[in-house]
Amino acid sequence: MLRIRAGSVHPVTAPPIEDGAVLVDDRGTIAAVGPNPVVPTPPGARALEFPRARLLPGLVNTHTHLELTHLTGKNTEREFAGWIRGLRALKDATSPDEFSRSAEQGVRDAWAAGVTCVADTGSTGAALEALARLGGRGICYQEVFGPDPAQCAASMVELRRALDRLGPLASSSLSLGVSPHAPYTVSEPLYRAVADLARGEGWPVALHLAESHAETELVREGRGPFADALRARGIPVTARHCSPVRYLLQLGVLASGNCLAIHCVQVDGPDIDVLRGAGVALAHCPRSNRAHGHGAAPLAAFRRAGLRVGLGTDSVVSVGDSSLLAEAAAAGLEGEDALRMLTIEGARALGLESEIGSLEGGKQGDLAVFPATAFDRPLPPVTALLTVVAGRVVHG
Ligand SMILES: [Zn+2]
């Protein structure tokens, strides 16, 4: 058993408690939350005290690429289509062992940032393997690529092979999903095939959507840097005369079940209605969007529409670090509002709100302790003092 006392405890779904405590039982679930004097101290429980710190639910990062952790600062290309090509070259030059070490470092960096659950997309399976090996929580979406319609069958064979290999690593704390990467790397038949597979097998789906101007140009008009690059490879390009969101709706991808759309910067009011109608959740990545010059996603409009939205760091290649607190600041969120978005709203976006995202009896013992100054402005670089996943101390 683990008992943690802190200067303040923030259950998120209930008011903050001054001098509070949380007790996590041997199964890793929360047994008690409350003022310190009323939370029991069972004999043999490990007791930790942080009198000047804040105890929060573990943070939920709704978009990471942990297998790319070793590439921090390695891609200096500024134009987005070129940046994507540069990233592909850097990945091609990475060995399986390097991906494995990189993903493991990514998991540890996430824990150091107080993150206890990640929604990760990657092509190698290294993130799922690292999370399984280290005892982390998350959803890992296996990426599939193939912009040429002629590649569709081969891409599906590769995807099924990866899912067969990774499936046995899934557990109550670790799920597997699929990620048709983005409109400039996935053909129409491949999107349809992945959506069919996800619907049939009940896989959650994550996709990069409506991120760059170049993507919108490609989908709407069949022009721009992505279109030029595809044509240069002999791949046919078709103007869809609609937004990326409507295009994916038409292909059946958005309504494939449990769908998480990442970025959604290039969206208008009707697109937001489409996303809401399809029950799509969003991963909002303000620092990445800014770093690549995509603009700002309309977070306020998403929230007004009642969409489920969590915060995501995206890869360290884009943003340089794993700080989810910095994403909240970049999103213009403060105080309890920021805290909700970092925890229970992120959990809701991933469909995990009955298990994580708040400190409540019976929920998973996923916790993070931060210095009391962690939310001050300007935001200092913040490392968690303690991070706990399912009652196990993983950092601090
Ligand atoms: Zn991404």
Side-chain angles (χ1 to χ4, degrees):
M1 289 191 136
L2 179 64
R3 188 187 192 279
I4 307 170
R5 176 184 181 182
S8 64
V9 170
H10 297 254
V12 173
T13 46
I17 304 158
E18 290 303 309
D19 188 22
V22 174
L23 179 67
V24 182
D25 65 22
D26 287 334
R27 292 172 302 144
T29 53
I30 296 173
V33 183
N36 181 54
V38 307
V39 172
T41 308
R46 180 180 178 195
L48 300 171
E49 304 222 342
F50 298 90
R52 278 179 297 281
R54 299 180 188 212
L55 172 53
L56 317 176
L59 310 185
V60 179
N61 191 340
T62 61
H63 184 49
T64 60
H65 294 263
L66 299 181
E67 69 189 12
L68 305 181
T69 303
H70 65 302
L71 298 178
T72 314
K74 295 271 168 60
N75 191 343
T76 51
E77 173 63 47
R78 294 192 62 79
E79 185 260 334
F80 189 59
W83 186 87
I84 291 282
R85 278 194 297 279
L87 183 60
R88 193 177 311 136
L90 288 164
K91 285 183 73 177
D92 287 346
T94 301
S95 71
D97 272 359
E98 281 176 287
F99 277 126
S100 178
R101 282 195 299 275
S102 174
E104 194 164 313
Q105 187 60 49
V107 173
R108 295 191 192 285
D109 291 349
W111 287 343
V115 170
T116 53
C117 179
V118 294
D120 188 86
T121 70
S123 60
T124 67
L128 184 77
E129 288 164 342
L131 285 161
R133 200 163 55 240
L134 299 174
R137 185 186 309 283
I139 304 174
C140 293
Y141 302 92
Q142 179 65 25
E143 282 179 335
V144 55
F145 302 88
D148 189 341
Q151 279 175 286
C152 178
S155 294
M156 287 306 290
V157 167
E158 202 179 321
L159 175 63
R160 285 176 192 277
R161 198 175 292 148
L163 294 171
D164 286 347
R165 178 171 66 85
L166 297 169
L169 296 178
S171 66
S172 58
S173 55
L174 206 48
S175 3
L176 186 56
V178 292
S179 177
H181 175 255
Y184 46 88
T185 56
V186 176
S187 68
E188 178 179 343
L190 184 56
Y191 268 130
R192 291 191 192 278
V194 174
D196 283 349
L197 176 74
R199 222 181 343 259
E201 306 281 335
W203 301 110
V205 176
L207 63 162
H208 294 81
L209 181 60
E211 182 178 5
S212 62
H213 296 287
E215 176 190 327
T216 301
E217 246 187 320
L218 167 71
V219 172
R220 200 180 277 284
E221 301 165 35
R223 294 173 7 161
F226 283 126
D228 293 346
L230 290 171
R231 288 200 177 95
R233 292 166 63 190
I235 298 170
V237 173
T238 309
R240 309 288 172 175
H241 306 293
C242 65
S243 70
V245 167
R246 295 198 88 82
Y247 172 51
L248 271 287
L249 178 75
Q250 287 164 17
L251 299 187
V253 179
L254 299 186
S256 57
N258 185 355
C259 185
L260 178 71
I262 306 152
H263 297 295
C264 290
V265 179
Q266 319 297 330
V267 293
D268 58 15
D271 286 333
I272 293 174
D273 291 342
V274 165
L275 293 167
R276 181 181 47 202
V280 173
L282 303 184
H284 179 52
C285 308
R287 288 194 304 165
S288 172
N289 295 338
R290 194 175 294 167
H292 290 295
H294 299 322
L299 175 63
F302 294 152
R303 298 178 89 191
R304 267 198 311 276
L307 287 166
R308 294 174 292 140
V309 188
L311 291 165
T313 54
D314 208 346
S315 81
V316 289
V317 197
S318 295
V319 299
D321 64 55
S322 318
S323 174
L324 206 57
L325 294 185
E327 298 298 339
L333 302 170
E334 290 187 348
E336 287 293 313
D337 194 25
L339 192 50
R340 287 184 61 81
M341 189 71 126
L342 290 161
T343 56
I344 192 68
E345 298 301 337
R348 194 168 283 140
L350 303 182
L352 297 174
E353 70 275 17
S354 63
E355 294 174 55
I356 59 169
S358 61
L359 303 180
E360 295 179 65
K363 276 196 169 182
Q364 292 293 314
D366 286 15
L367 320 165
V369 178
F370 282 101
T373 54
F375 289 85
D376 289 357
R377 296 288 182 277
L379 194 76
V382 181
T383 300
L385 302 172
L386 181 81
T387 307
V388 175
V389 175
R392 192 171 67 89
V393 173
V394 295
H395 164 80

